Amino acid sequence: MLIYLIRHARPEGMDGSCYGRSDIRANAEETRRVARSLRESLPPDALETAAIHSSPLTRCWSLARELVPARAVVITPELLELDFGSWEGSAWSDVPRAELDAWARDPWGYAPGGGESAQAVLSRFQAWATRLRDEGNDIVVAVTHAGVIRVALSVDSADPIGLSLSIPYGSVHLLVIEGSRSDARELRRTFA
């Protein structure tokens, strides 16, 4: 199964802020521009036949609907961004240095702001991907967030390289899932 992971367009007015699960809109013109670019770069079968999934947050589903206006978009809670707990809405510069350091020491297990750990995001993502594969999906387009994409590309805590990847707004990352339907451990990363 192929999953095209797409990051939403740049949110309005959030530079330098921790906005994870906050429902921040992306600029409408920027969303249209990103959708046009994606339509030109994604393989036609990804847009014509793939299941289209999106995080419930406006910055994602607005891009998904703009990308494939005539197709149904499945709103998928498993694609929500990491929950940053008490950090939500704060400027990154206002997050206590000791808390940032604790997160850097344990990027998989630490729950920023008392919210959600990367391991928890990986668990929900893998459960979703396994369900899609078990349903017989061959190609999926998922509009989501940088944190989810990083975790999905990391595969598990033994392979943390994805956690430090730069995930630009509007970028596409291809996740290939191979092997038996019951073995979700065979997730591996590639890039489109």
Side-chain angles (χ1 to χ4, degrees), residues 84-189:
F84 285 99
S86 65
W87 295 6
E88 284 286 331
S90 298
W92 283 107
S93 59
D94 291 340
V95 175
R97 182 81 239 168
E99 292 181 36
L100 289 171
D101 291 344
W103 189 25
R105 282 190 303 275
D106 184 12
W108 282 102
Y110 186 80
E116 183 179 34
S117 69
Q119 185 61 53
V121 174
L122 179 63
S123 293
R124 69 176 151 88
F125 180 86
Q126 285 183 324
W128 171 74
T130 299
R131 187 177 72 245
L132 289 175
R133 185 175 58 183
D134 290 349
E135 292 170 355
N137 290 279
D138 293 325
I139 303 173
V140 175
V141 172
V143 181
T144 188
H145 308 272
V148 174
I149 295 170
R150 284 185 185 105
V151 166
L153 297 177
S154 292
V155 181
D156 62 38
S157 57
D159 185 20
I161 190 69
L163 294 182
S164 61
L165 290 174
S166 172
I167 309 291
Y169 296 106
S171 62
V172 180
H173 307 269
L174 178 62
L175 181 64
V176 180
I177 301 175
E178 297 176 324
S180 72
R181 290 181 176 215
S182 63
D183 190 0
R185 291 174 297 158
E186 292 190 25
L187 297 174
R188 57 186 180 86
R189 65 185 176 277

Side-chain angles (χ1 to χ4, degrees), residues 9-159:
R10 180 183 298 277
E12 294 182 324
M14 295 308 293
D15 288 344
S17 296
C18 177
Y19 55 87
R21 294 250 179 123
S22 301
D23 198 8
I24 309 299
R25 293 183 177 277
N27 175 277
E29 182 52 41
E30 176 69 5
T31 297
R32 285 189 289 275
R33 186 196 65 72
V34 168
R36 280 191 304 272
S37 176
L38 290 168
R39 281 192 296 273
E40 292 171 5
S41 63
L42 285 167
D45 59 342
L47 296 177
E48 294 166 7
T49 63
I52 311 295
H53 288 254
S54 174
S55 160
L57 298 181
T58 305
R59 60 189 179 269
C60 291
W61 64 256
S62 61
L63 177 57
R65 293 195 68 193
E66 188 71 34
L67 182 61
V68 288
R71 303 268 322 277
V73 174
V74 180
I75 300 301
T76 307
E78 292 89 345
L79 295 174
L80 275 165
E81 180 61 288
L82 178 88
D83 179 354
F84 285 99
S86 65
W87 295 6
E88 284 286 331
S90 298
W92 283 107
S93 59
D94 291 340
V95 175
R97 182 81 239 168
E99 292 181 36
L100 289 171
D101 291 344
W103 189 25
R105 282 190 303 275
D106 184 12
W108 282 102
Y110 186 80
E116 183 179 34
S117 69
Q119 185 61 53
V121 174
L122 179 63
S123 293
R124 69 176 151 88
F125 180 86
Q126 285 183 324
W128 171 74
T130 299
R131 187 177 72 245
L132 289 175
R133 185 175 58 183
D134 290 349
E135 292 170 355
N137 290 279
D138 293 325
I139 303 173
V140 175
V141 172
V143 181
T144 188
H145 308 272
V148 174
I149 295 170
R150 284 185 185 105
V151 166
L153 297 177
S154 292
V155 181
D156 62 38
S157 57
D159 185 20

